[in-house]
């Protein structure tokens, strides 16, 4: 951008000298070492992580969510909410979505300086699942039963026991159990309880309890090696999709994806129902989908890694491998990822998570996820504390990523010939590393340039300034990206770029992202209708506005 933007406040034009970051900030020395051992050995315990969380936080919400809760989510920095329409009528679904949008609107109006907050609305279809029945309440306070290790239990499909589950007989809502053989396994409640089949009778299975635990009502049942659900959308899922389209959700999570053929069928249905502007994410929740991940990635907009479900098939001892495989392949393909791993579940009742939960979340960030999904926010009474704690852990993990190696390897995979927008974005990220930029401002319409930049994992936030709310909300899933909707009318293309840049700078200062003397990269179009951001500039932040470097 050739024209200088004049400050509203008269002040002398000052160009700030470049100063390298101190060695104890954001693990700077370790991040740019040349080999793995030097990187690891130069990590410092006392290093200060960035004050800006780059990883996106997604929160689970229930049907009775209120606008006040959503305001709290926005205040704490969460930019994705995940919900389902299970058991809800259209009016109940509409009311839930209305409460979400009203909460976002209230926060934007009262606490965000009237800047529209980009909160991504994600619909989880749920898909076909096997669950247990309800516990028989023999006492007014009884809500669980104890299945003791080495004891015996019948697992039945007889509807008579749907609301009469006891220590002796457990109901499940599928006849799939009758296809089992001796020594096959049945897992209850995400593997907390393990049953081994002794014999299969006419309408029930007799099992020994290999690993016992307390069991509540309507818990997930998993049978390894036997696919659950069909290879086409159920009527119920089709109806949920129609509801989501009418309520203008931003993302739909498609469960049970095993290959691109099934996913293409879902996309075709969504397009026929006039939902072409909705992003479709494949849920990797089964071993077949994991094996076909390369095929699946060709047609998806993003990936939702469902670790609890997947671990039932690949094993708890190998789920860390599955996570590394999926996240690395998504990073190489440039697909955003949401990872669900029952993170910080102990904070439902405790104010501090376990050491294992802390390490698990940080390792997921280091493996390269874009977004961490916290379903504990559906149950915890202190939702805000859960989100803030997760954000602090994400910052620690982000600071320890070996940035030089990650960028070098991603860059090597971009073999010529690539799109000009792609090439310019790679150059922008490299410049941001070299000059320790505090932020990258991208003036974009579709969000293409912002996605390319985020794909190469800069160390600083990417402020993507877009005109359309839908584009901003879909961008909010990506790591690094802070999507801002600019709603003022366009006067002319050059004045619009100038106004949107000033808008981004003001936002960055107000949120503590930018400070006096910081270096900022700026990406925009050199002329109208170019189609992507093709011009890069560098600015210093001054007390009033900024000066061209």
């Amino acid at each position: 951008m050739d024209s200088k933007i004049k400050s509203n406040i008269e002040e002398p034009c000052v160009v700030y000298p470049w100063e390298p970051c101190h060695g104890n900030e954001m693990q700077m020395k370790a991040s740019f070492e040349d080999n793995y051992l030097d990187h690891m050995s130069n990590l410092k315990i006392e290093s200060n992580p960035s004050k800006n969380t780059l990883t996106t936080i997604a929160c689970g919400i229930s049907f009775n969510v209120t606008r006040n809760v959503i305001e709290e989510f926005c205040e704490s920095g969460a930019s994705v909410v995940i919900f389902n329409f299970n058991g809800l009528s259209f009016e109940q679904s509409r009311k839930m979505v209305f409460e979400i949008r009203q909460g976002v609107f209230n926060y934007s109006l009262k606490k965000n300086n009237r800047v529209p907050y980009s909160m991504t609305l994600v619909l989880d279809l749920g898909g076909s699942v096997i669950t247990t029945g309800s516990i028989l309440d023999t006492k007014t306070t009884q809500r669980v039963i104890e299945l003791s290790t080495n004891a015996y239990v019948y697992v039945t499909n007889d509807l008579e026991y749907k609301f009469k589950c006891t220590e002796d007989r457990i109901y499940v809502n599928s006849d799939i159990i009758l296809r089992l053989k001796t020594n096959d396994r049945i897992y209850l409640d995400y593997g907390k309880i393990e049953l081994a089949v002794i014999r299969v009778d006419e309408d029930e299975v007799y099992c020994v309890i290999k690993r016992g635990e307390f069991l509540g009502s309507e818990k997930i049942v998993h049978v390894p090696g036997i696919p659950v659900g069909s290879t086409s959308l159920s009527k119920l899922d089709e109806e949920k999709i129609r509801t989501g389209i009418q309520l203008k959700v931003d993302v739909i999570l498609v469960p049970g994806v095993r290959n691109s053929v099934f996913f293409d069928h879902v996309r075709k249905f969504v397009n026929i129902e006039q939902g072409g502007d909705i992003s479709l994410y494949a849920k990797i929740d089964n071993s077949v989908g994991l094996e076909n991940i390369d095929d699946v990635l060709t047609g998806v907009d993003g990936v939702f890694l469902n670790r609890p479900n997947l671990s039932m098939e690949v094993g708890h001892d190998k789920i860390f491998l599955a996570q590394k495989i999926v996240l690395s392949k998504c990073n190489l393909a440039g697909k955003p990822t949401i990872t669900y791993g029952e993170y910080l579940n102990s904070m439902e009742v405790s104010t501090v998570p376990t050491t294992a939960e802390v390490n698990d979340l940080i390792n997921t960030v280091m493996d390269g996820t874009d977004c961490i999904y916290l379903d504990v926010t559906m149950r915890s009474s202190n939702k805000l504390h859960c989100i803030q704690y997760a954000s602090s852990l994400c910052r620690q993990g982000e600071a320890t990523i070996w940035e030089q190696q990650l960028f070098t390897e991603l860059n090597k995979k971009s073999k010529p010939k690539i799109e000009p927008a792609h090439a310019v974005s790679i150059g922008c990220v490299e410049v941001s590393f070299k000059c320790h930029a505090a932020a990258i401002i991208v003036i974009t319409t579709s969000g293409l340039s912002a996605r390319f930049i985020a794909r190469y994992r800069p160390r600083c936030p990417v402020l993507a300034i877009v005109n359309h709310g839908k584009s901003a909300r879909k961008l909010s899933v990506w790591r690094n990206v802070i999507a801002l909707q600019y709603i003022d009318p366009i006067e002319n293309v050059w004045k619009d770029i100038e106004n949107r840049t000033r808008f981004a700078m003001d936002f960055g200062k107000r949120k503590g992202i930018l400070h006096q003397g910081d270096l900022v990269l700026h990406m925009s179009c050199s002329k109208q209708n170019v189609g992507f951001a093709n011009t890069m500039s560098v600015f210093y932040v001054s007390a009033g506005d900024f000066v061209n470097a």
Side-chain angles (χ1 to χ4, degrees), residues 59-70 73 81-101 122-124 218 240 243 247 373 375 377-379 383:
C59 297
I61 59 173
S62 54
F63 74 95
N64 57 353
V65 68
T66 65
R67 61 192 67 180
N68 293 334
V69 170
I70 298 300
F73 286 174
V81 289
I82 299 179
F83 51 86
N84 61 65
F85 294 153
N86 295 344
L88 301 182
S89 65
F90 178 81
E91 280 305 314
Q92 290 172 317
S93 302
R94 187 194 62 78
K95 183 178 183 299
M96 176 174 63
V97 172
F98 175 78
E99 287 293 315
I100 297 170
R101 291 209 165 100
V122 180
L123 169 61
D124 184 2
E218 299 178 355
K240 290 177 184 176
T243 301
L247 298 178
Y373 173 38
D375 69 327
T377 53
M378 289 191 285
R379 303 179 300 275
K383 299 173 176 58

Side-chain angles (χ1 to χ4, degrees), residues 483-494:
L484 303 173
Q485 183 187 2
Y486 183 74
I487 58 177
D488 288 353
I490 299 176
E491 300 174 20
N492 62 66
V493 63
W494 307 119

Side-chain angles (χ1 to χ4, degrees), residues 254-313:
V254 183
V257 176
R258 300 184 184 116
N259 51 50
S260 60
V261 175
F262 170 69
F263 196 85
D264 290 343
H265 169 74
V266 176
R267 186 177 294 281
K268 183 178 179 181
F269 175 81
V270 172
N271 289 338
I272 290 173
E273 296 293 329
Q274 307 301 314
D277 60 343
I278 295 177
S279 293
L280 300 180
Y281 284 33
K283 291 180 77 171
I284 304 301
D285 53 8
N286 61 84
S287 57
V288 179
L290 177 62
E291 291 172 5
N292 295 328
I293 183 65
D294 291 319
D295 177 50
V296 170
L297 285 176
T298 58
V300 304
D301 297 312
V303 165
F304 181 95
L305 177 58
N306 189 330
R307 282 182 14 186
N309 279 13
L310 187 57
S311 66
M312 294 294 95
E313 296 200 21

Side-chain angles (χ1 to χ4, degrees), residues 362-425:
I362 290 177
N363 281 325
T364 302
V365 172
M366 294 177 66
D367 281 344
T369 190
D370 289 87
C371 178
I372 292 289
Y373 173 38
L374 300 177
D375 69 327
V376 69
T377 53
M378 289 191 285
R379 303 179 300 275
S380 175
S381 59
N382 198 344
K383 299 173 176 58
L384 191 62
H385 179 58
C386 293
I387 299 170
Q388 291 170 340
Y389 206 108
S391 294
S392 69
L393 297 179
C394 288
R395 291 194 294 274
Q396 292 288 352
E398 291 158 4
T400 57
I401 294 173
W402 190 10
E403 299 286 356
Q404 175 154 306
Q405 186 67 12
L406 177 60
F407 174 76
T408 300
E409 292 180 359
L410 287 172
N411 192 13
K412 284 181 179 178
K413 292 293 183 180
S414 302
K415 299 185 184 299
K417 182 179 179 182
I418 59 176
E419 299 175 58
H422 193 163
V424 171
S425 298

Side-chain angles (χ1 to χ4, degrees), residues 348-367:
E348 181 180 347
V349 293
S350 173
T351 57
V352 180
T354 65
T355 302
E357 289 174 330
V358 168
N359 290 335
D360 187 21
L361 192 150
I362 290 177
N363 281 325
T364 302
V365 172
M366 294 177 66
D367 281 344

